[in-house]
């Protein structure tokens, strides 16, 4: 490898949303820094299977009104 062109690869601490901590190596931050995750496999719907449908500014109601004549369940 060429010298002085690669980022520093060091050990950091990762704290998941449920408080579980582990160490990994990364180029993020400085050695010994702690990365606190906002979303991880224990809380994200893609992994948990629990999906919440948020109706922002009536978009869902507008969609239902527009397609009410189609026999679909929304």
């Amino acid at each position: 490898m060429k010298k002085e062109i690669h980022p520093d690869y060091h050990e950091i601490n990762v704290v998941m949303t449920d408080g579980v901590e582990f160490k990994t190596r990364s180029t993020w931050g400085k050695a010994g820094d702690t990365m606190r995750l906002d979303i991880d496999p224990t809380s994200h719907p893609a992994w948990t299977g629990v999906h919440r449908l948020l109706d922002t500014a009536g978009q869902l109601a507008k969609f239902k009104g527009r397609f009410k004549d189609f026999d679909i369940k929304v």
Side-chain angles (χ1 to χ4, degrees), residues 47-62:
W47 288 285
T48 62
V50 178
H51 295 275
R52 283 182 236 133
L53 196 54
L54 299 177
D55 189 10
T56 56
Q59 292 294 319
L60 184 58
K62 196 183 298 184

Side-chain angles (χ1 to χ4, degrees), residues 30-46:
K30 295 178 277 195
D33 280 355
T34 300
M35 176 186 289
R36 297 188 185 280
L37 301 179
D38 294 331
I39 297 175
D40 62 32
T42 61
S43 65
H44 194 279

Side-chain angles (χ1 to χ4, degrees), residues 58-70 72 74:
Q59 292 294 319
L60 184 58
K62 196 183 298 184
F63 177 84
K64 285 181 179 179
R66 186 178 302 146
F67 295 103
K68 69 179 181 240
D69 296 330
F70 293 96
I72 59 172
V74 178

Side-chain angles (χ1 to χ4, degrees), residues 9-22:
Y9 191 62
H10 49 270
E11 193 171 86
I12 64 168
N13 301 313
V14 178
V15 180
M16 295 176 42
T17 58
D18 61 357
V20 173
E21 297 182 29
F22 63 92

